Amino acid sequence: MILQTKDLTKTYQRQGQQFDAVSHVMFSMEKGEMVVLTGPSGCGKSTFFHLISGITVPDSGEIIFDGEKITSLTPQQKTTLRASKISYILQGDSLLPNFTVLENICLPHQLSNVTNPEELSTKAMELIQEFGLEKLTNDYPTNLSGGERRRITIARAFVHNPLMVVADEPTSDLDEENTKIILDYFQKQSSLGKSILISTHDLSCLRPGVTHYIMRKGSMKFENHIESLAKN
């Protein structure tokens, strides 16, 4: 098991009223599993992702990743964890406009001093080629289409060989071709042992072989394995 949460809860206050953005969530995920989390906007998906990535501190409950309690780590230890074992792909475009494609993929990890720079550059070039963007290696994000920028963001998440990738709406606003490229890559990495956790409104992510959870009003429940859904 790569990830487990026990009775995970995060409470906020709005207009004098308390509410659970994440409410007593029990969740587990295996190494090499690809999980798709769906649910309406505001149901707690992004908050859950922030919690399991160590960005937000829960009010109660436990998060265990790769045998280690994230809830017991210091802020610096959580930063190191994200730099080495967990990649978090944010919603939207997070590329730096004044850096090239290659620099955008490598720079965040070079700053963390976790990965050897030469190995990082070599892996980045392999990913650029795999995503069919080798002609754009030295271009800047403003010269790229939305789909190309998203593929670079995905490449950046995998370049340092993390154990788990957490992707918040990775296919939003993409055309069918780019969506297929990204989902095919996710499933390929899952088959190679990477754990992939996706939050989405895009039902094309519900492919055969993935596990589907639904979140509503901070609560999460297992829906099904997608093999059965795909046959209907």
Side-chain angles (χ1 to χ4, degrees):
M1 187 177 298
I2 192 69
L3 175 67
Q4 184 179 24
T5 70
K6 299 179 180 180
D7 204 30
L8 189 64
T9 299
K10 182 64 181 178
T11 303
Y12 290 105
Q13 188 163 333
R14 180 186 297 159
Q15 297 179 343
Q17 299 291 323
Q18 285 192 338
F19 70 98
D20 289 345
V22 172
S23 182
H24 306 284
V25 168
M26 309 289 287
F27 174 81
S28 63
M29 185 174 179
E30 299 295 334
K31 180 180 179 181
E33 187 175 11
M34 182 166 164
V35 174
V36 175
L37 177 60
T38 63
S41 297
C43 69
K45 299 189 300 295
S46 293
T47 300
F48 177 70
F49 279 12
H50 289 170
L51 290 167
I52 63 173
S53 301
I55 297 170
T56 300
V57 178
D59 292 307
S60 62
E62 287 187 351
I63 306 164
I64 303 168
F65 175 77
D66 193 30
E68 191 169 29
K69 288 185 180 180
I70 292 181
T71 39
S72 300
L73 300 180
T74 65
Q76 182 57 49
Q77 288 172 326
K78 291 176 184 177
T79 299
T80 301
L81 181 71
R82 286 192 298 274
S84 58
K85 295 184 178 181
I86 300 176
S87 271
Y88 187 5
I89 302 171
L90 300 169
Q91 290 187 43
D93 189 349
S94 58
L95 298 182
L96 301 171
N98 296 324
F99 293 87
T100 66
V101 164
L102 180 60
E103 290 168 342
N104 261 284
I105 294 173
C106 294
L107 185 61
H109 306 294
Q110 288 172 336
L111 294 174
S112 70
N113 293 319
V114 172
T115 308
N116 179 284
E118 291 185 6
E119 292 179 2
L120 193 65
S121 182
T122 299
K123 179 63 176 177
M125 287 304 304
E126 291 174 358
L127 286 165
I128 287 171
Q129 292 172 2
E130 183 157 5
F131 279 111
L133 299 171
E134 56 269 25
K135 293 182 180 179
L136 304 174
T137 301
N138 295 312
D139 278 14
Y140 292 87
T142 51
N143 298 328
L144 275 58
S145 69
E148 289 166 342
R149 289 196 298 271
R150 193 67 58 84
R151 279 183 266 166
I152 295 304
T153 302
I154 303 297
R156 182 173 62 189
F158 283 91
V159 72
H160 63 302
N161 197 32
L163 296 179
M164 182 173 76
V165 173
V166 179
D168 199 350
E169 299 285 353
T171 62
S172 62
D173 303 322
L174 294 185
D175 59 23
E176 185 176 342
E177 179 184 1
N178 278 289
T179 295
K180 183 179 185 303
I181 289 170
I182 289 171
L183 293 179
D184 284 351
Y185 186 75
F186 281 159
Q187 287 200 292
K188 175 184 175 181
Q189 291 303 308
S190 174
S191 71
L192 294 173
K194 292 280 187 294
S195 301
I196 313 291
L197 177 56
I198 298 172
S199 162
T200 188
H201 292 94
D202 180 2
L203 297 184
S204 70
C205 294
L206 298 177
R207 291 177 159 201
V210 309
T211 305
H212 183 201
Y213 282 80
I214 295 177
M215 199 160 193
R216 294 189 180 94
K217 295 182 178 179
S219 298
M220 188 188 300
K221 75 178 185 72
F222 168 78
E223 181 68 7
N224 60 6
H225 292 286
I226 307 305
E227 284 87 353
S228 60
L229 181 65
K231 295 174 184 178
N232 293 334

